[in-house]
């Protein structure tokens, strides 16, 4: 009896493995972050193009890169962050985007491209952008100004958190001082270090995860946080307000790229085109609460979303904001400053 | 003489330490609050979302296929390895022992990376098969170690006795050796199953298109997903299933005995 059962289980297991390879429809293998697309759109795409979209997920750009570099293949379309795309392109991992296959590229926001790394969309197409900002509890924090100076507020001492991320946190101080958050100037960095050390006396902790819980429950009153995270916390606690500091902040962009080893190149292009169709892009923005830089989609969004500071940035602040870039050798300087910040009391 | 209360307190404390986090997880799966910082009211919302979330179920299916198949195979291979290691004390077996022992101490990231390089060099298509092979690789070691410990207390005169009494090798194997080793093999298998079901690092490297497992999916959900709390709901369901399985197997064995 048990033997039969065991054989049955093995057979079932093998059947599962084999069935993963059969089927006639073409498959588009997408390698991306979990829940980073509206599933209804994927279904619609599958129907329109008579294919299957198989989504696999990674949890960090670095791990994904290490895996591809070692020779992992089979993915047709990947969505890394733009800083990683620079490296991937330098390594010759990406194939050029065939713009003729993506007529909807005309909708890609030229304002976004102005700041983007790959301005001409030669090897990448923007998918979603987000930024870092300040979130606070409206009923408990008074006289709020949209500025990094909020972290100097002594009346909030012990109820504030900063991100536990070297580039983000030092970057906030650099922006506060009016410098570039990709500076390689040692004096500017030293100034920023002193600012963060000053802020450190006011904060409860440096934190990337628990601040969400803390803000939702009211344990923290003011936090530095990622726009996408804050959107989620807002669903829990309506008292939360998000502001983008007027000095500028850090932004990120996750972009579509097609690796050299892709098999379904045309389908990959079709997918990019589909996601940049204004109606689809708008649906996607509403679903995942990040901004797809697609001007056609902007008009279709509800007013609520159009005025949402977690999604849209004021153009003037946008102009003062930057992507976190590869700073090359200066990274060692950042690390040193960060160590000194952590060691200071 | 008054008995010391210390053992009681220690037991209660340790049980609390073990089970309170699980209890909190179960409670939070019904909590309307997304982050579980406070109780915002009862909801089945996360369960509804869970049942509508296709990718989670695909990932769960992948995870179970791999955990079950790699456990069974490593139980067989691990037991055979342990038997060889115990029975023969030659130089070859000492090398064998080192080879079996190594996966226990090699860091996961090293193992994942080297397996990936190996699979790529061999021209394997990455997918469930490569994850299965990788899991068998490290599961064998755990099974072999547990069974080896069991063999150390094993009285081999029992085998001789069975042969004296006229049992062929097949009967000796099925009716003497395996039943006596069964607890060890089962314990090794359970260990292998647990390790396989929640392995992230190695699996990440050797997985290919269409073979995302549950741990990989969960880690990635921490980045952008708005559906994170459905993990609590899924864990609760898995817990209930596990408890039911353990409870029913205990009942079955009890009935057999009477």
């Amino acid at each position: 009896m048990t033997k039969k059962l065991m054989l049955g289980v093995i057979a079932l297991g093998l059947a599962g493995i084999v069935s993963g390879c059969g089927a006639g429809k073409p498959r588009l293998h997408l390698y991306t972050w979990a829940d980073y697309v509206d599933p209804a759109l994927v279904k619609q795409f599958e129907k329109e193009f008579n294919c299957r979209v198989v989504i696999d997920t990674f949890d960090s750009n670095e791990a994904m890169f290490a895996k591809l570099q070692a020779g992992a293949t089979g993915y047709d379309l990947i969505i890394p962050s733009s800083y990683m795309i620079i490296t991937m392109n330098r390594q010759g991992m990406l194939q050029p985007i065939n713009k003729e296959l993506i007529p909807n590229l005309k909708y890609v926001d030229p304002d976004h491209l102005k700041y983007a790394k790959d301005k001409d969309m030669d090897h990448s197409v923007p998918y979603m952008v987000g930024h870092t900002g300040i979130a606070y509890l409206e009923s408990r924090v008074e006289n709020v100004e949209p500025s990094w100076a909020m972290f100097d507020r002594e009346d909030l001492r012990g109820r504030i958190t900063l991100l536990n991320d070297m580039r983000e946190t030092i970057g906030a101080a650099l922006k506060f001082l009016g410098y570039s958050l990709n500076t390689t100037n040692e004096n500017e960095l030293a100034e920023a270090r002193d600012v963060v050390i000053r802020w450190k006396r006011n904060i409860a902790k440096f934190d990337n995860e628990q601040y969400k819980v803390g803000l939702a429950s009211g344990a923290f009153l003011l936090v530095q946080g990622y726009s996408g995270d804050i959107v989620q916390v807002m669903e829990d606690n309506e008292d939360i307000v998000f502001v983008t500091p007027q000095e500028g902040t850090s932004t990120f962009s996750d972009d579509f790229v097609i690796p050299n080893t892709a098999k379904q190149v045309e389908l990959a292009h079709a997918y990019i085109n589909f996601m940049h169709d204004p109606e689809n892009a708008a649906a996607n923005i509403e679903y995942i609460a990040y901004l797809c830089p697609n001007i056609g989609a902007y008009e279709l969004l509800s007013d609520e979303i159009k005025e949402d500071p977690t999604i849209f940035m004021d153009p003037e602040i946008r102009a003062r904001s930057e992507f976190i870039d590869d700073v090359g050798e200066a990274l060692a300087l950042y690390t040193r400053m960060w160590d000194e910040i952590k060691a200071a009391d | 003489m008054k008995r010391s209360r210390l053992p009681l307190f220690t037991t209660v404390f340790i049980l609390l330490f073990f089970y309170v986090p699980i209890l909190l997880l179960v409670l939070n799966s019904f909590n309307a609050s997304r982050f579980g910082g406070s109780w915002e009211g009862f909801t089945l919302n996360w369960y509804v979302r869970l049942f509508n979330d296709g990718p989670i179920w695909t990932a769960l299916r992948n995870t179970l296929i791999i955990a079950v198949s790699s456990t069974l195979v490593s139980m067989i291979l691990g037991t055979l390895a342990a038997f060889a290691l115990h029975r023969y004390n030659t130089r070859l077996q000492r090398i064998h022992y080192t080879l079996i022992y190594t996966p226990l101490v090699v860091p996961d990231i090293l193992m994942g990376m080297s397996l990936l390089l190996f699979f790529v060099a061999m021209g394997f298509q990455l997918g469930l098969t490569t994850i299965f092979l990788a899991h068998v690789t490290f599961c064998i070691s755990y099974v072999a170690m547990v069974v080896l410990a069991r063999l150390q207390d094993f009285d081999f005169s029992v085998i001789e006795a069975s042969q004296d009494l006229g049992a062929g090798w097949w009967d000796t194997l099925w009716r003497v050796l395996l039943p006596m080793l069964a607890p060890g093999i089962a314990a090794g298998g359970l260990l292998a199953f647990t390790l396989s079901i929640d392995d992230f690092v190695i699996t990440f490297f050797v997985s290919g298109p269409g073979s995302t497992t549950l741990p990989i999916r969960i880690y990635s959900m921490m980045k952008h997903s708005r559906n994170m709390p459905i993990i609590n709901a899924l864990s609760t369901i898995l817990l209930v299933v596990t408890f039911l399985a353990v409870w029913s197997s205990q009942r079955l064995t009890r009935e057999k005995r009477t």
Side-chain angles (χ1 to χ4, degrees):
Chain A
M1 162 62 200
T2 41
K3 248 201 312 184
K4 262 189 193 158
L5 197 77
M6 257 161 66
L7 282 175
V9 172
I10 294 176
L12 210 74
L14 287 177
I17 292 174
V18 171
S19 72
C21 318
K25 284 183 188 174
R27 282 153 187 267
L28 177 72
H29 287 284
L30 183 61
Y31 203 25
T32 176
W33 312 90
D35 293 328
Y36 209 27
V37 62
D38 181 351
L41 288 176
V42 176
K43 281 219 182 74
Q44 197 187 329
F45 179 81
E46 286 178 328
K47 218 166 161 193
E48 268 179 41
F49 289 83
N50 189 33
C51 66
R52 269 203 62 201
V53 179
V54 181
I55 298 179
D56 289 287
T57 56
F58 53 86
D59 72 305
S60 86
N61 284 300
E62 286 69 21
M64 179 275 301
F65 177 70
K67 183 169 161 164
L68 289 192
Q69 209 180 21
T73 56
Y75 303 107
D76 300 310
L77 192 58
I78 311 179
I79 308 185
S81 306
S82 51
Y83 76 94
M84 189 48 76
I85 293 173
I86 300 173
T87 318
M88 292 170 82
N89 189 42
R90 210 184 288 143
Q91 301 265 337
M93 286 179 174
L94 307 177
Q95 54 176 286
I97 299 287
N98 184 345
K99 291 176 194 159
E100 279 166 27
L101 294 177
I102 316 179
N104 286 339
L105 283 187
K106 62 173 185 267
Y107 294 115
V108 175
D109 189 345
D111 269 344
H112 171 78
L113 289 174
K114 213 161 59 189
Y115 308 109
K117 297 291 150 218
D118 182 15
K119 293 182 176 27
D120 302 318
M121 298 190 279
D122 287 328
H123 53 266
S124 67
V125 177
Y127 178 52
M128 288 285 160
V129 298
H131 55 280
T132 307
I134 302 174
Y136 63 94
L137 293 176
E138 197 177 18
S139 62
R140 315 257 308 260
V141 184
E142 287 170 353
N143 307 323
V144 176
E145 40 175 337
S147 158
W148 293 116
M150 288 298 289
F151 291 98
D152 271 322
R153 286 273 293 265
E154 289 185 12
D155 57 320
L156 302 173
R157 178 168 284 180
R159 311 293 292 275
I160 305 178
T161 68
L162 280 168
L163 286 172
N164 188 14
D165 180 305
M166 175 173 87
R167 294 296 306 277
E168 288 284 0
T169 312
I170 297 179
L174 285 167
K175 280 283 147 199
F176 172 66
L177 293 164
Y179 302 135
S180 159
L181 57 73
N182 293 311
T183 184
T184 52
N185 179 319
E186 189 168 354
N187 293 332
E188 292 178 4
L189 274 169
E191 264 184 76
R193 171 199 62 200
D194 295 338
V195 169
V196 181
I197 290 176
R198 196 171 78 216
W199 288 347
K200 192 184 167 187
R201 297 193 189 105
N202 268 340
I203 65 169
K205 57 175 172 176
F206 293 103
D207 186 282
N208 274 8
E209 283 299 325
Q210 290 300 314
Y211 77 88
K212 294 177 250 176
V213 186
L215 187 67
S217 68
F220 301 134
L221 302 180
L222 184 92
V223 301
Q224 178 193 13
Y226 302 108
S227 55
D229 282 351
I230 301 299
V231 172
Q232 295 193 28
V233 192
M234 281 171 163
E235 286 176 19
D236 251 27
N237 186 339
E238 288 178 357
D239 195 28
I240 295 166
V241 177
F242 182 88
V243 289
T244 313
Q246 63 199 8
E247 297 98 335
T249 181
S250 74
T251 57
F252 75 84
S253 169
D254 291 332
D255 311 332
F256 289 113
V257 296
I258 305 176
N260 274 337
T261 49
K263 292 195 189 87
Q264 298 287 348
V265 177
E266 267 183 49
L267 209 50
H269 280 90
Y271 187 87
I272 301 177
N273 194 50
F274 183 85
M275 288 300 163
H276 268 293
D277 175 85
E279 259 177 55
N280 297 341
N284 220 1
I285 295 170
E286 305 241 358
Y287 184 84
I288 62 175
Y290 281 92
L291 181 66
C292 177
N294 180 305
I295 39 173
Y298 297 167
E299 302 156 17
L300 304 173
L301 292 168
S302 66
D303 287 343
E304 197 188 339
I305 294 220
K306 267 189 239 173
E307 283 154 24
D308 189 339
T310 57
I311 295 177
F312 279 97
M313 276 173 102
D314 181 273
E316 277 179 39
I317 301 180
R318 180 66 193 86
R320 286 192 284 268
S321 300
E322 293 167 272
F323 287 111
I324 291 179
D325 254 343
D326 184 3
V327 287
E329 309 225 322
L331 191 66
L333 261 176
Y334 277 86
T335 313
R336 205 183 79 212
M337 298 301 174
W338 187 237
D339 288 342
E340 285 170 14
I341 289 167
K342 286 296 180 86
D345 40 31
Chain B
M1 195 186 80
K2 210 177 152 211
R3 265 193 297 168
S4 164
R5 287 260 176 101
L6 195 64
L8 178 72
F9 282 132
T10 323
T11 314
V12 169
F13 180 76
I14 289 177
L15 284 178
L16 282 179
F17 190 77
F18 278 177
Y19 289 102
V20 166
I22 295 180
L23 197 71
L24 280 178
L25 183 141
V26 174
L27 282 178
N28 268 327
S29 73
F30 298 106
N31 189 350
S33 160
R34 184 173 287 272
F35 294 102
S38 56
W39 183 260
E40 301 271 329
F42 180 86
T43 178
L44 285 175
N45 184 11
W46 306 124
Y47 286 88
V48 175
R49 284 212 205 173
L50 173 65
F51 285 104
N52 290 321
D53 192 311
I56 281 275
W57 295 103
T58 317
L60 179 66
R61 194 198 66 167
N62 286 341
T63 308
L64 288 178
I65 289 174
I66 285 163
V68 170
S69 57
S70 62
T71 303
L72 289 177
V73 172
S74 58
M75 268 161 80
I76 297 167
L77 293 178
T79 308
L80 291 175
F83 204 75
L85 285 173
H86 186 75
R87 222 42 218 280
Y88 308 101
N89 192 14
T90 58
R91 231 172 100 175
L92 189 68
Q93 289 307 325
R94 279 196 290 280
I95 297 171
H96 183 197
Y97 183 79
T98 319
L99 285 178
I100 289 278
Y101 194 76
T102 315
L104 300 181
V105 288
V106 167
D108 278 4
I109 186 125
L110 207 74
M111 193 152 156
M113 205 63 199
S114 54
L115 279 169
L116 171 60
L117 289 170
F118 171 75
F119 288 139
V120 169
M122 300 303 281
F124 273 55
Q125 170 74 46
L126 296 175
L128 287 181
T129 324
T130 48
I131 303 180
F132 162 76
L133 289 174
H135 282 210
V136 169
T137 313
F138 67 80
C139 285
I140 285 181
S141 306
Y142 289 91
V143 177
M145 286 300 147
V146 177
V147 176
L148 196 60
R150 182 91 190 162
L151 277 169
Q152 248 125 38
D153 308 325
F154 191 78
D155 184 3
F156 274 86
S157 53
V158 176
I159 305 258
E160 284 155 25
S162 109
Q163 278 163 345
D164 274 353
L165 293 171
W169 66 269
W170 180 252
D171 275 331
T172 310
L173 177 71
W174 270 109
R175 299 170 70 172
V176 181
L177 190 59
L178 279 183
M180 290 185 79
L181 288 181
I185 300 175
L190 282 177
L191 194 62
F193 189 79
T194 331
L195 287 165
S196 167
I197 213 166
D198 68 1
D199 180 73
F200 170 73
V201 179
I202 296 175
T203 312
F204 177 82
F205 283 107
V206 298
S207 66
S211 64
T212 292
T213 62
L214 202 55
I216 294 181
R217 175 113 198 135
I218 293 173
Y219 270 88
S220 184
M221 282 172 78
M222 295 173 69
K223 199 77 179 191
H224 291 298
S225 177
R226 305 175 72 182
N227 283 337
M228 202 58 198
I230 68 173
I231 295 302
N232 294 337
L234 181 64
S235 310
T236 306
I237 291 177
L238 290 180
L239 265 176
V240 172
V241 171
T242 318
F243 277 128
L244 279 180
V246 171
W247 178 73
S248 56
S249 79
Q250 275 177 345
R251 275 199 56 153
L252 281 176
T253 45
R254 209 180 301 145
E255 272 164 21
K256 230 186 259 173
R257 255 185 237 132
T258 49

